[in-house]
Amino acid sequence: MPATSIGPAALESRESQLLAIARQLFARDGFERTSLRDIAEAADITKAALYYYFPNKEALYERVVVDSMQALFDDVCGAVALVHSPTARIRAFMLASAQVLDHARDRWIAGSRAFHEGGRGGQHLAAIALRDRYESLLRCCIAEGVESGELRAVDPALAGRFLLSGLNQMSHWHRSDGRLSAAQVMAQFLDMALQGLCVEARGNAEASVSDAPVSSSTTTPRAQKLCRTVGTTSA
């Protein structure tokens, strides 16, 4: 009987399965505490067979990270494209990001840990580039809000870091079986951030920043160019 070859579809399916298993282990145990043997055993294959798909742990980890970052970027781009006002885009961006914690928590955790662990090869640089595009898209939405008058004259970079800091910390304390989903928590965070906490003091707060210089990144041409650049999803 002639030997049967494994077709491209079967190879791709097996590779996707290995990536999913590795992503779960990296998210749970981290890069250093996860070995190729752990991944091979979870996949019910030999370690030697795992080398057929990935030459080493660093290559596997970086592929997991790039795929996770690409999926996140695609999610937020799709969500932002569905709404039209700057404030709605900010909400769509943050809620789409939080929904990853609800529906693909291991993808979020494995991706976020990558910038503190793992290799520094070409795939790592690709992950950094995707992270920068992701953050730039949020800054673009904030800059548009400033230009339109929907938002006060805040620095888009600082405002973006402020919003993302709450999101990044959520994975450390939020429980998937908790009272609120990650998206519900983020919705409340956004209400606090966009509407403020103090009712009486809001006017005073607006007056205190009225003379603050606006970042050059809030100029209309720059924001429009940034949106066109970061809003293009890679293949």
Side-chain angles (χ1 to χ4, degrees), residues 27-44:
R28 187 189 70 188
D29 301 327
F31 176 79
E32 294 296 339
R33 291 188 297 276
T34 301
S35 68
L36 285 179
R37 185 176 300 280
D38 294 332
I39 297 168
E41 288 178 355
D44 196 25

Side-chain angles (χ1 to χ4, degrees), residues 1-232:
M1 179 181 295
T4 57
S5 60
I6 301 176
L11 286 174
E12 183 177 349
S13 176
R14 186 55 165 160
E15 182 178 284
S16 298
Q17 180 188 29
L18 292 172
L19 286 168
I21 291 170
R23 184 172 61 244
Q24 292 170 0
L25 293 178
F26 286 138
R28 187 189 70 188
D29 301 327
F31 176 79
E32 294 296 339
R33 291 188 297 276
T34 301
S35 68
L36 285 179
R37 185 176 300 280
D38 294 332
I39 297 168
E41 288 178 355
D44 196 25
I45 62 174
T46 65
K47 186 177 176 181
L50 185 58
Y51 283 124
Y52 178 79
Y53 296 91
F54 302 98
N56 51 54
K57 186 171 75 166
E58 288 76 11
L60 175 55
Y61 187 57
E62 288 167 0
R63 172 66 184 281
V64 164
V65 171
V66 169
D67 284 2
S68 297
M69 288 301 303
Q70 184 66 63
L72 173 63
F73 185 70
D74 291 345
D75 287 348
V76 298
C77 280
V80 167
L82 294 175
V83 294
H84 303 291
S85 74
T87 304
R89 290 191 186 107
I90 294 169
R91 285 187 177 275
F93 181 103
M94 298 303 299
L95 289 174
S97 298
Q99 285 168 356
V100 175
L101 273 173
D102 286 325
H103 305 302
R105 186 169 293 247
D106 58 340
R107 170 156 53 101
W108 176 273
I109 295 174
S112 64
R113 294 180 82 160
F115 303 102
H116 306 287
E117 303 177 345
R120 293 293 185 269
Q123 290 288 304
H124 184 80
L125 295 177
I128 290 176
L130 281 167
R131 180 201 61 187
D132 291 346
R133 291 175 67 195
Y134 168 79
E135 294 179 356
S136 293
L137 180 57
L138 178 58
R139 290 198 297 270
C140 171
C141 296
I142 296 169
E144 285 185 326
V146 173
E147 291 162 8
S148 70
E150 289 186 27
L151 301 180
R152 294 189 289 108
V154 296
D155 183 323
L158 286 178
R161 292 189 183 100
F162 166 66
L163 291 174
L164 289 174
S165 64
L167 177 65
N168 290 329
Q169 286 298 314
M170 200 186 303
S171 63
H172 297 292
W173 60 265
H174 180 266
R175 291 178 49 179
S176 58
D177 60 349
R179 181 174 60 89
L180 298 175
S181 69
Q184 289 172 326
V185 172
M186 180 51 61
Q188 293 197 33
F189 280 4
L190 286 167
D191 286 343
M192 296 174 199
L194 295 173
Q195 300 175 21
L197 292 175
C198 299
V199 176
E200 298 295 335
R202 186 175 180 184
N204 292 334
E206 291 175 350
S208 69
V209 298
S210 60
D211 297 327
V214 180
S215 168
S216 61
S217 64
T218 63
T219 61
T220 301
R222 181 180 178 88
Q224 291 177 346
K225 180 179 179 182
L226 181 60
C227 285
R228 287 195 298 270
T229 301
V230 303
T232 303

